[in-house]
Amino acid sequence: MRLPIYQLDAFTDRAFGGNPAAVCLLDDWLDDATLQAIALENNLSETAFLVAGDNGDYELRWFTPTLEIDLCGHATLASAWLILHRLTPDRAEVGFATRSGRLTVRRSDSGLRMDFPADPPASIRMPHGLEAVLGVMPEAVLMGRYCMAVLATEAEVRAMAPDLDGIGELTAGHLIVTAKGAQVDFVSRFFAPGSGIAEDPVTGSAHCILAPYWAKRLGKRSLTARQVSARGGELRCTLDGDRVGLTGSCTFYMEGWIEIPDGGCPSPRQAAD
């Protein structure tokens, strides 16, 4: 079985920046073990799998190298870019049926705008030992889908080298760190050892938490954001009630084919046996 596969850099307008995502087009769903094996082989933060529906929408699922996840921004952006720029360039928008409901992506003057559910975080007591894990005292700790630590300065966010094992123990394996930006409204980084990712380069789902927080704190609905990982990426965030608009660009990198053996891919345990 041969399957088309593409790789794009999301939330960037330059090659080798942003967050790389693989996008794999399927006629029908393969078994979960095969999907997971493909994502592990790709060894990117996420691989997106698409199956076209009858109404022009697509079914969309996302896998890290270790597990399927409920929501992923950069691989959704990459999937939409592929559909709207390569597969059906006459379309203005595309919808996706996902584990987080129907998500839409449409063209805008500054890239592609994704419509995602907002996830306003609530303040929590700082987990014991978090300061030692981060190497700095947070101003506040909040919880949405992921735990979020607010730092005093952008410089602290950029300089951070946290204890990943500690993040796994104290925050269920996922942690956003953020601060007010010097040249943008806010900056962030995202550590996800619980999903098999030490640091994610640019994380759309994290901005479903970040955007409501900074919109309230700064008193504005439209914000500019930069994820200050080594690769880096830029987003525009717009809060609209219980939804967040995330706008970004993509750079196309690669296309090719996957060769799937008859019977699908064995699990790692089966392969070892």
Side-chain angles (χ1 to χ4, degrees):
M1 183 190 308
R2 300 181 79 220
L3 303 173
I5 188 168
Y6 308 84
Q7 188 171 318
L8 301 93
D9 293 332
F11 293 120
T12 184
D13 57 5
R14 60 181 179 86
F16 312 116
N19 200 350
V23 182
C24 185
L25 299 178
L26 307 173
D27 292 328
D28 297 290
W29 287 112
L30 305 175
D31 62 273
D32 288 1
T34 299
L35 299 179
Q36 189 63 73
I38 292 170
L40 177 59
E41 186 76 8
N42 291 337
N43 200 30
L44 300 172
S45 294
E46 271 84 19
T47 295
F49 296 96
L50 295 170
V51 173
D54 295 333
N55 62 351
D57 281 3
Y58 286 78
E59 295 179 51
L60 171 60
R61 297 171 69 184
W62 311 279
F63 285 75
T64 78
T66 60
L67 69 141
E68 183 175 9
I69 59 173
D70 292 337
L71 184 64
C72 176
H74 83 279
T76 302
L77 188 68
S79 299
W81 192 100
L82 179 67
I83 293 165
L84 297 177
H85 287 83
R86 290 290 181 93
L87 303 182
T88 51
D90 56 325
R91 295 181 63 172
E93 68 176 69
V94 60
F96 298 105
T98 78
R99 289 170 64 161
S100 291
R102 186 175 187 271
L103 307 176
T104 59
V105 185
R106 60 178 57 89
R107 299 178 189 273
S108 76
D109 292 339
S110 52
L112 296 179
R113 185 180 189 275
M114 302 187 294
D115 178 48
F116 273 27
D119 186 10
S123 295
I124 62 170
R125 180 178 298 177
M126 186 173 74
H128 179 70
L130 185 60
E131 180 184 0
V133 166
L134 299 182
V136 63
M137 173 65 80
E139 290 187 334
V141 180
L142 301 96
M143 180 66 75
R145 178 189 302 272
Y146 310 123
C147 185
M148 183 175 79
V150 182
L151 305 187
T153 67
E154 177 176 328
E156 288 180 336
V157 174
R158 288 181 177 273
M160 179 167 293
D163 174 1
L164 295 178
D165 290 337
I167 288 175
E169 294 170 3
L170 296 181
T171 68
H174 301 85
L175 178 68
I176 305 165
V177 293
T178 186
K180 191 175 185 301
Q183 297 179 324
V184 294
D185 288 313
F186 66 89
V187 299
S188 67
R189 292 172 70 187
F190 183 63
F191 303 94
S195 293
I197 305 161
E199 181 174 359
D200 196 38
V202 195
T203 314
S205 60
H207 286 77
C208 295
I209 301 169
L210 287 157
Y213 172 80
W214 285 107
K216 181 178 181 180
R217 177 165 166 176
L218 300 178
K220 55 195 301 187
R221 291 178 54 251
S222 295
L223 306 111
T224 55
R226 180 173 297 139
Q227 196 154 328
V228 291
S229 62
R231 293 177 64 100
E234 292 78 36
L235 305 86
R236 291 185 176 274
C237 309
T238 304
L239 192 65
D240 186 12
D242 62 354
R243 308 293 292 183
V244 173
L246 302 176
T247 302
S249 302
C250 278
T251 299
F252 190 87
Y253 174 64
M254 180 175 66
E255 64 180 300
W257 298 91
I258 300 173
E259 296 281 351
I260 302 295
D262 293 340
C265 299
S267 68
R269 181 178 296 276
Q270 290 171 326
D273 294 342

